[in-house]
Amino acid sequence: MSQRLANSIALFEQAVRHIPGGVNSPVRAFRGVGGNPVFFKSASGAHLFDEDGNRYIDYVGAWGPMILGHKHPKVVAALHEQLDRGIAYGAPTALEVQLADKICEILPSIESVRLVNSGTEATMSALRLARGCTKRDKVVKFEGCYHGHVDSLLVKAGSGALTLGNPDSAGIPADTAAQTFVLPYNDLDAVEHLFSIHGHEIACLIVEPVAGNMNCVPPVPGFLQGLRDITARHGALLIFDEVMTGFRVGLSGAQGRYGITPDLTTLGKIIGGGLPVGAFGGRKDLMQQLAPLGPVYQAGTMSGNPLAVTAGLVLLEEISAPGFHAALEAKGKRLLEGLTTLAHEAGLPFVTTQVGGMFGLYFNENDRIETFAQVMQSNVARFRTFFHAMLERGVYLAPSAFEAGFICAAHGEADIAATLDAARAAFAASK
Ligand SMILES: *Cc1c(COP(=O)(O)O)cnc(C)c1O
C-alpha cells in the first residue's frame, strides 16, 4: 500500500479492532471509493493535514460546519474564553437565549426553537412534534433524501445508506417503516396523487429543500411551493430539513432563497460551528406543544451546551456579514466552470450542480440532474478513480459519489487554481 498514507493505514488497522468498521460514522470508512480512510491530525483554513503530514484542500468541511474554514480565529478565541468559564452546567444559560434569538432573527419562519445535539435528534423530534400536533401517524419523505438515522426516516435514504447500497437498515420494525411514504424527489404529481388518497392520515412531509445526500440536486421551479400548497390543503405539516442547507445556500437557508415558509425547520451542521448542535423550530403554536408546556416529550442532557452554543453564535455572527454568501457562491461557480471545462477537454461526460456554497459533481451523461434516477446513472467507478487521483494530489473530496461538496470562505484563489491543476491530471487518469 501507499507509503504516503503509512500512518493512516496503521491507524485504520488499529481502529478496526475496537471500532466497528474502524469508524464512528459509515461514510468515513471509504467503502464508496475503496482504499484506506485518511486519518487527520489538524486543520487550518481550507486545509486538512493527515497523520503522515500530507496537506489537502478540503471540500468536505466537516460535512458543512466549516463554512468559515477550519480553526477560525474568532471561533477559537470564543471557545477558549468559554472554556475558562465552564464546560457544562445542565441548566439555562444566557448563551442559548442569544442563539435562539439569532436563529429566529435569521429565519422568520422560526418563532420558537429548541436546541438538540445533532441533526438526527432534530428530525426525530420534529417528526414526533408533527405527529403529536396533528394526531396523525403517517409521514412522507423523498427517495434519496437523508434525514439522519431516525427509524421512520431510514427508508430509501441517501448519504451513507445510499453509498453502501443499503437504503433500508436492519433493525427497523416493518410497522415503523410502514408509517413512511416515499416519493420521487422533484415529482409534484406523485405528491398530489399520494395526498389525494392518504392526505387525512399524513402528519407531515419532510424534505431536503436542496437535496444534498444524493450528491446535490436542486429543487425544480415550483416544487417547494407545490409542497407548501399541498400540505396546507390537507392539514399536514411541511418540515424543511435544513440541517445541510441552513445558513449554507444563503444566510436564511433554502427557505429564504426560494421564499417558502415551512411549518417546522430542522437545523444542524453549521449551527454548531463544528461542535455538536442541532435545532428544530417553527410556528409558536406547534412548538408550545413541547414539554414542559405541552404533551410532546423531548429532552437532552447536553442540549444547549455552552461550548457548542458559543461556537455556533460566533459562526452565525461572522457569516451574517453582507455579501458573505454571494462571495461563496461566486467562488464555487468559478471552481465548477473550471472543472467542467477540464472534464470536457478530457472527453468525459461531466455535469455539475450548485446552490450557493454547496455543489455536486457528476460523471453522468445527462445534461442536467433533477431526479434520483438521473443521479443513479452516474459512473461510480469513474468517480472512484477521480477521487483517488485528487486525493493523491492533495484535494480532499467527499469519499462518495453521492455526497455534496462544500465551498468555504477560506478557499483562496490559489486553492481553486491548485484544485483545477490536480483535476486536469485526475480527469486524464479517469478516462
Ligand atoms: C447530516 C444531515 C442530517 C443528520 O445530521 P446528524 O448531525 O448527522 O445526525 C439530517 N438531515 C440532513 C439533511 C443532513 O444533511
Side-chain angles (χ1 to χ4, degrees), residues 127-136 237 264 285-290 296:
L127 229 60
R128 182 181 306 141
L129 180 61
R131 284 169 160 156
C133 290
T134 58
K135 303 194 168 53
R136 298 172 178 179
L237 300 178
L264 293 172
D285 61 309
L286 300 174
M287 293 302 287
Q288 287 188 328
Q289 298 303 308
L290 280 178
V296 180

PDB file of all heavy atoms in Angstrom, residues 127-136 237 264 285-290 296:
ATOM      1  N   LEU A 127     -40.429  15.237  13.921  1.00  0.00           N
ATOM      2  CA  LEU A 127     -41.413  14.254  13.489  1.00  0.00           C
ATOM      3  C   LEU A 127     -42.394  13.930  14.622  1.00  0.00           C
ATOM      4  O   LEU A 127     -43.605  13.869  14.417  1.00  0.00           O
ATOM      5  CB  LEU A 127     -40.678  12.965  13.090  1.00  0.00           C
ATOM      6  CG  LEU A 127     -41.054  12.357  11.763  1.00  0.00           C
ATOM      7  CD1 LEU A 127     -40.789  13.331  10.637  1.00  0.00           C
ATOM      8  CD2 LEU A 127     -40.263  11.063  11.527  1.00  0.00           C
ATOM      9  N   ARG A 128     -41.841  13.744  15.812  1.00  0.00           N
ATOM     10  CA  ARG A 128     -42.711  13.441  16.958  1.00  0.00           C
ATOM     11  C   ARG A 128     -43.664  14.610  17.216  1.00  0.00           C
ATOM     12  O   ARG A 128     -44.857  14.427  17.463  1.00  0.00           O
ATOM     13  CB  ARG A 128     -41.874  13.158  18.208  1.00  0.00           C
ATOM     14  CG  ARG A 128     -42.750  12.781  19.404  1.00  0.00           C
ATOM     15  CD  ARG A 128     -41.925  12.518  20.661  1.00  0.00           C
ATOM     16  NE  ARG A 128     -40.918  11.523  20.383  1.00  0.00           N
ATOM     17  CZ  ARG A 128     -39.668  11.561  20.874  1.00  0.00           C
ATOM     18  NH1 ARG A 128     -39.304  12.525  21.688  1.00  0.00           N
ATOM     19  NH2 ARG A 128     -38.807  10.632  20.566  1.00  0.00           N
ATOM     20  N   LEU A 129     -43.123  15.814  17.121  1.00  0.00           N
ATOM     21  CA  LEU A 129     -43.952  17.000  17.344  1.00  0.00           C
ATOM     22  C   LEU A 129     -45.055  17.077  16.291  1.00  0.00           C
ATOM     23  O   LEU A 129     -46.221  17.346  16.618  1.00  0.00           O
ATOM     24  CB  LEU A 129     -43.074  18.258  17.298  1.00  0.00           C
ATOM     25  CG  LEU A 129     -43.789  19.584  17.509  1.00  0.00           C
ATOM     26  CD1 LEU A 129     -44.461  19.630  18.885  1.00  0.00           C
ATOM     27  CD2 LEU A 129     -42.804  20.759  17.363  1.00  0.00           C
ATOM     28  N   ALA A 130     -44.703  16.817  15.034  1.00  0.00           N
ATOM     29  CA  ALA A 130     -45.701  16.879  13.959  1.00  0.00           C
ATOM     30  C   ALA A 130     -46.800  15.849  14.204  1.00  0.00           C
ATOM     31  O   ALA A 130     -47.993  16.133  14.026  1.00  0.00           O
ATOM     32  CB  ALA A 130     -45.033  16.627  12.610  1.00  0.00           C
ATOM     33  N   ARG A 131     -46.399  14.655  14.627  1.00  0.00           N
ATOM     34  CA  ARG A 131     -47.395  13.616  14.895  1.00  0.00           C
ATOM     35  C   ARG A 131     -48.248  13.990  16.107  1.00  0.00           C
ATOM     36  O   ARG A 131     -49.460  13.796  16.110  1.00  0.00           O
ATOM     37  CB  ARG A 131     -46.695  12.282  15.125  1.00  0.00           C
ATOM     38  CG  ARG A 131     -46.209  11.660  13.823  1.00  0.00           C
ATOM     39  CD  ARG A 131     -45.298  10.479  14.081  1.00  0.00           C
ATOM     40  NE  ARG A 131     -45.218   9.608  12.909  1.00  0.00           N
ATOM     41  CZ  ARG A 131     -44.203   8.787  12.660  1.00  0.00           C
ATOM     42  NH1 ARG A 131     -43.179   8.708  13.494  1.00  0.00           N
ATOM     43  NH2 ARG A 131     -44.216   8.025  11.589  1.00  0.00           N
ATOM     44  N   GLY A 132     -47.606  14.543  17.126  1.00  0.00           N
ATOM     45  CA  GLY A 132     -48.338  14.937  18.333  1.00  0.00           C
ATOM     46  C   GLY A 132     -49.326  16.058  18.048  1.00  0.00           C
ATOM     47  O   GLY A 132     -50.446  16.067  18.584  1.00  0.00           O
ATOM     48  N   CYS A 133     -48.953  16.985  17.214  1.00  0.00           N
ATOM     49  CA  CYS A 133     -49.807  18.149  16.933  1.00  0.00           C
ATOM     50  C   CYS A 133     -50.969  17.792  16.011  1.00  0.00           C
ATOM     51  O   CYS A 133     -52.068  18.318  16.164  1.00  0.00           O
ATOM     52  CB  CYS A 133     -48.998  19.276  16.299  1.00  0.00           C
ATOM     53  SG  CYS A 133     -47.846  20.065  17.428  1.00  0.00           S
ATOM     54  N   THR A 134     -50.715  16.928  15.036  1.00  0.00           N
ATOM     55  CA  THR A 134     -51.765  16.626  14.056  1.00  0.00           C
ATOM     56  C   THR A 134     -52.604  15.417  14.460  1.00  0.00           C
ATOM     57  O   THR A 134     -53.649  15.166  13.873  1.00  0.00           O
ATOM     58  CB  THR A 134     -51.153  16.311  12.664  1.00  0.00           C
ATOM     59  OG1 THR A 134     -50.252  15.200  12.803  1.00  0.00           O
ATOM     60  CG2 THR A 134     -50.409  17.511  12.096  1.00  0.00           C
ATOM     61  N   LYS A 135     -52.089  14.665  15.434  1.00  0.00           N
ATOM     62  CA  LYS A 135     -52.723  13.396  15.846  1.00  0.00           C
ATOM     63  C   LYS A 135     -52.874  12.456  14.654  1.00  0.00           C
ATOM     64  O   LYS A 135     -53.847  11.725  14.508  1.00  0.00           O
ATOM     65  CB  LYS A 135     -54.060  13.651  16.536  1.00  0.00           C
ATOM     66  CG  LYS A 135     -53.888  14.574  17.742  1.00  0.00           C
ATOM     67  CD  LYS A 135     -55.102  14.594  18.639  1.00  0.00           C
ATOM     68  CE  LYS A 135     -54.819  15.276  19.979  1.00  0.00           C
ATOM     69  NZ  LYS A 135     -54.228  16.624  19.851  1.00  0.00           N
ATOM     70  N   ARG A 136     -51.880  12.508  13.771  1.00  0.00           N
ATOM     71  CA  ARG A 136     -51.809  11.574  12.651  1.00  0.00           C
ATOM     72  C   ARG A 136     -50.450  10.863  12.718  1.00  0.00           C
ATOM     73  O   ARG A 136     -49.503  11.401  13.296  1.00  0.00           O
ATOM     74  CB  ARG A 136     -51.897  12.335  11.320  1.00  0.00           C
ATOM     75  CG  ARG A 136     -53.213  13.106  11.119  1.00  0.00           C
ATOM     76  CD  ARG A 136     -53.077  13.969   9.872  1.00  0.00           C
ATOM     77  NE  ARG A 136     -54.295  14.703   9.567  1.00  0.00           N
ATOM     78  CZ  ARG A 136     -54.402  15.531   8.527  1.00  0.00           C
ATOM     79  NH1 ARG A 136     -53.352  15.718   7.706  1.00  0.00           N
ATOM     80  NH2 ARG A 136     -55.522  16.173   8.283  1.00  0.00           N
ATOM     81  N   LEU A 237     -48.213  18.996   8.089  1.00  0.00           N
ATOM     82  CA  LEU A 237     -47.165  19.988   8.305  1.00  0.00           C
ATOM     83  C   LEU A 237     -46.041  19.801   7.290  1.00  0.00           C
ATOM     84  O   LEU A 237     -45.725  18.680   6.902  1.00  0.00           O
ATOM     85  CB  LEU A 237     -46.608  19.868   9.728  1.00  0.00           C
ATOM     86  CG  LEU A 237     -47.635  20.070  10.843  1.00  0.00           C
ATOM     87  CD1 LEU A 237     -46.985  19.891  12.214  1.00  0.00           C
ATOM     88  CD2 LEU A 237     -48.296  21.449  10.746  1.00  0.00           C
ATOM     89  N   LEU A 264     -42.244  23.741  10.158  1.00  0.00           N
ATOM     90  CA  LEU A 264     -41.139  23.406  11.059  1.00  0.00           C
ATOM     91  C   LEU A 264     -39.850  23.311  10.234  1.00  0.00           C
ATOM     92  O   LEU A 264     -39.881  22.961   9.052  1.00  0.00           O
ATOM     93  CB  LEU A 264     -41.386  22.065  11.755  1.00  0.00           C
ATOM     94  CG  LEU A 264     -42.551  21.986  12.751  1.00  0.00           C
ATOM     95  CD1 LEU A 264     -42.776  20.536  13.182  1.00  0.00           C
ATOM     96  CD2 LEU A 264     -42.292  22.864  13.980  1.00  0.00           C
ATOM     97  N   ASP A 285     -47.326  28.053  17.859  1.00  0.00           N
ATOM     98  CA  ASP A 285     -48.424  27.208  18.354  1.00  0.00           C
ATOM     99  C   ASP A 285     -48.022  25.726  18.336  1.00  0.00           C
ATOM    100  O   ASP A 285     -48.457  24.958  19.183  1.00  0.00           O
ATOM    101  CB  ASP A 285     -49.699  27.424  17.522  1.00  0.00           C
ATOM    102  CG  ASP A 285     -49.514  27.056  16.055  1.00  0.00           C
ATOM    103  OD1 ASP A 285     -48.548  27.536  15.431  1.00  0.00           O
ATOM    104  OD2 ASP A 285     -50.324  26.280  15.531  1.00  0.00           O
ATOM    105  N   LEU A 286     -47.158  25.364  17.395  1.00  0.00           N
ATOM    106  CA  LEU A 286     -46.685  23.981  17.346  1.00  0.00           C
ATOM    107  C   LEU A 286     -45.632  23.740  18.429  1.00  0.00           C
ATOM    108  O   LEU A 286     -45.705  22.770  19.186  1.00  0.00           O
ATOM    109  CB  LEU A 286     -46.086  23.673  15.970  1.00  0.00           C
ATOM    110  CG  LEU A 286     -47.026  23.827  14.771  1.00  0.00           C
ATOM    111  CD1 LEU A 286     -46.250  23.644  13.461  1.00  0.00           C
ATOM    112  CD2 LEU A 286     -48.170  22.811  14.850  1.00  0.00           C
ATOM    113  N   MET A 287     -44.675  24.644  18.507  1.00  0.00           N
ATOM    114  CA  MET A 287     -43.573  24.461  19.464  1.00  0.00           C
ATOM    115  C   MET A 287     -44.076  24.467  20.906  1.00  0.00           C
ATOM    116  O   MET A 287     -43.450  23.885  21.790  1.00  0.00           O
ATOM    117  CB  MET A 287     -42.514  25.547  19.252  1.00  0.00           C
ATOM    118  CG  MET A 287     -41.773  25.460  17.917  1.00  0.00           C
ATOM    119  SD  MET A 287     -40.918  23.883  17.649  1.00  0.00           S
ATOM    120  CE  MET A 287     -39.519  24.008  18.775  1.00  0.00           C
ATOM    121  N   GLN A 288     -45.221  25.110  21.141  1.00  0.00           N
ATOM    122  CA  GLN A 288     -45.757  25.149  22.503  1.00  0.00           C
ATOM    123  C   GLN A 288     -46.411  23.833  22.915  1.00  0.00           C
ATOM    124  O   GLN A 288     -46.831  23.665  24.065  1.00  0.00           O
ATOM    125  CB  GLN A 288     -46.718  26.327  22.658  1.00  0.00           C
ATOM    126  CG  GLN A 288     -45.912  27.624  22.694  1.00  0.00           C
ATOM    127  CD  GLN A 288     -46.725  28.836  23.039  1.00  0.00           C
ATOM    128  OE1 GLN A 288     -47.901  28.903  22.703  1.00  0.00           O
ATOM    129  NE2 GLN A 288     -46.098  29.799  23.684  1.00  0.00           N
ATOM    130  N   GLN A 289     -46.454  22.902  21.990  1.00  0.00           N
ATOM    131  CA  GLN A 289     -46.951  21.564  22.344  1.00  0.00           C
ATOM    132  C   GLN A 289     -45.848  20.709  22.974  1.00  0.00           C
ATOM    133  O   GLN A 289     -46.065  19.589  23.400  1.00  0.00           O
ATOM    134  CB  GLN A 289     -47.506  20.857  21.103  1.00  0.00           C
ATOM    135  CG  GLN A 289     -48.701  21.566  20.464  1.00  0.00           C
ATOM    136  CD  GLN A 289     -49.833  21.745  21.459  1.00  0.00           C
ATOM    137  OE1 GLN A 289     -50.253  20.797  22.106  1.00  0.00           O
ATOM    138  NE2 GLN A 289     -50.302  22.978  21.622  1.00  0.00           N
ATOM    139  N   LEU A 290     -44.615  21.270  22.998  1.00  0.00           N
ATOM    140  CA  LEU A 290     -43.485  20.524  23.569  1.00  0.00           C
ATOM    141  C   LEU A 290     -43.481  20.623  25.095  1.00  0.00           C
ATOM    142  O   LEU A 290     -43.837  21.656  25.663  1.00  0.00           O
ATOM    143  CB  LEU A 290     -42.171  21.126  23.081  1.00  0.00           C
ATOM    144  CG  LEU A 290     -41.653  20.776  21.692  1.00  0.00           C
ATOM    145  CD1 LEU A 290     -40.355  21.545  21.460  1.00  0.00           C
ATOM    146  CD2 LEU A 290     -41.415  19.274  21.545  1.00  0.00           C
ATOM    147  N   VAL A 296     -45.996  16.817  24.148  1.00  0.00           N
ATOM    148  CA  VAL A 296     -44.996  16.117  23.341  1.00  0.00           C
ATOM    149  C   VAL A 296     -43.652  16.169  24.062  1.00  0.00           C
ATOM    150  O   VAL A 296     -43.080  17.249  24.248  1.00  0.00           O
ATOM    151  CB  VAL A 296     -44.864  16.757  21.937  1.00  0.00           C
ATOM    152  CG1 VAL A 296     -43.809  16.006  21.110  1.00  0.00           C
ATOM    153  CG2 VAL A 296     -46.210  16.768  21.215  1.00  0.00           C
TER     154      VAL A 296
END
